[in-house]
């Protein structure tokens, strides 16, 4: 014969069951809140990276257009740093030339955007890509290389925020090289992005460390003999912050 469960035991079981359900609910809400917070943070850093990408691309276009220009990089939070890079002109028969092509890198969490060597690169390692065309081009029997170089008066770096604006002042000088077989070597920490971009434009591109400093250069070779014009844009960038 089954004995009836005392009411006190049933009440205790109900209390325990309610407590377990409440605990499970609290944990579930906590996990959901954490997931939503992580998603929001990821969306914010992605939006910041988008803004920096657009700002650097606008800066690049403004430099090549010449004169003075202003380019907003309004983000929630980020870091800007100056990087030392070199671009070399390698001639088959004539003299080589080396340019100090310093640029900027902006970081937002694990997002990285660089403006170096006349192009804007987004990402790191094999996941990096050029979001602007490579600056090296060919027309007929002539090759052209527009090359921005930061001056000593440019801002070294610092934080970026919702009021950040890049104010640029540019002067241009021209170097003309005689007919020869030329290659351009761009020093970069994202060589695969440059290599793929050069190859898409029809250049033969390889990687090498020309000065042994641990930073590779991507060497893009122009086919056949041709003249080369290097337009060097001496670029002074001042970062205004809100």
């Amino acid at each position: 014969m089954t004995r009836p469960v005392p009411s006190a035991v049933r009440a205790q079981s109900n209390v325990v069951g309610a407590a377990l359900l409440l605990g499970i609910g609290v944990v579930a809400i906590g996990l959901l809140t954490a997931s939503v917070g992580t998603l929001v943070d990821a969306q914010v850093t992605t939006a910041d990276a988008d803004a920096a990408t657009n700002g650097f691309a606008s800066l690049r276009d403004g430099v090549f257009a010449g004169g003075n220009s202003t380019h907003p990089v309004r983000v929630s939070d980020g870091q800007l740093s100056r990087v030392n890079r070199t671009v070399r002109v390698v001639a088959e028969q004539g003299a080589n030339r080396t340019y100090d092509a310093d640029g900027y890198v902006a970081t937002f969490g694990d997002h990285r955007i660089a403006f170096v060597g006349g192009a804007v690169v987004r990402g790191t390692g094999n996941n990096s890509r050029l979001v602007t065309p490579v600056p090296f081009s060919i027309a007929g029997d002539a090759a052209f290389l527009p090359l921005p170089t930061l001056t000593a008066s440019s801002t070294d770096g610092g934080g970026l925020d919702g009021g950040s604006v890049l104010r640029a002042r540019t002067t241009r000088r021209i170097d003309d090289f005689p007919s020869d077989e030329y290659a351009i070597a761009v020093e970069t920490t994202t060589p695969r992005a440059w290599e793929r971009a050069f190859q898409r434009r029809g250049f033969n591109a390889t990687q090498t460390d020309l000065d042994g400093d641990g930073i590779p250069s991507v060497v893009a070779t122009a086919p056949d003999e041709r003249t080369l014009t290097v337009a060097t844009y001496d670029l002074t960038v001042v970062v205004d912050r809100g």
Side-chain angles (χ1 to χ4, degrees):
M1 178 178 182
T2 303
R3 296 181 180 180
V5 178
S7 59
V9 174
R10 288 198 303 270
Q12 186 177 13
S13 299
N14 290 338
V15 170
V16 172
L20 286 173
L21 289 174
L22 179 60
I24 293 171
V26 169
V27 171
I29 291 172
L31 291 174
L32 178 60
T33 301
S35 298
V36 171
T38 300
L39 178 60
V40 170
D41 289 343
Q43 290 175 335
V44 169
T45 54
T46 298
D48 286 346
D50 290 343
T53 299
N54 293 335
F56 278 171
S58 174
L59 173 62
R60 174 190 182 273
D61 294 344
V63 169
F64 291 163
N68 303 331
S69 54
T70 300
H71 312 277
V73 185
R74 297 189 174 96
V75 298
S76 63
D77 184 38
Q79 191 67 30
L80 184 72
S81 57
R82 179 170 177 159
V83 292
N84 300 320
R85 297 290 183 265
T86 300
V87 173
R88 296 174 174 85
V89 173
V90 182
E92 180 71 20
Q93 304 295 331
N96 300 336
R97 183 74 66 88
T98 299
Y99 296 89
D100 293 327
D102 294 0
Y104 283 122
V105 171
T107 53
F108 310 90
D110 59 355
H111 292 270
R112 179 184 185 275
I113 301 92
F115 171 54
V116 178
V120 179
V121 183
R122 181 164 180 169
T124 59
N126 287 332
N127 293 324
S128 59
R129 59 186 178 87
L130 264 70
V131 297
T132 58
V134 294
F136 196 30
S137 62
I138 292 174
D141 59 357
F144 302 91
L145 175 67
L147 183 62
T149 61
L150 288 182
T151 67
S153 301
S154 294
T155 300
D156 283 339
L160 296 172
D161 56 28
S164 297
V165 174
L166 308 179
R167 301 192 183 280
R169 186 173 67 252
T170 305
T171 58
R172 188 183 69 174
R173 52 193 173 88
I174 300 295
D175 292 327
D176 288 318
F177 296 85
S179 183
D180 203 337
E181 294 185 12
Y182 289 103
I184 303 300
V186 180
E187 192 177 45
T188 174
T189 59
T190 53
R192 283 295 295 132
W194 281 88
E195 192 174 36
R196 288 190 298 261
F198 275 128
Q199 290 170 347
R200 284 194 296 269
R201 292 292 297 271
F203 293 101
N204 177 43
T206 57
Q207 297 182 34
T208 185
D209 186 353
L210 291 172
D211 53 12
D213 64 353
I215 300 177
S217 290
V218 176
V219 182
T221 303
D224 305 323
E225 291 191 358
R226 60 192 72 244
T227 60
L228 172 65
T229 297
V230 178
T232 305
Y233 295 83
D234 293 324
L235 171 63
T236 299
V237 176
V238 175
V239 182
D240 287 345
R241 300 175 175 89

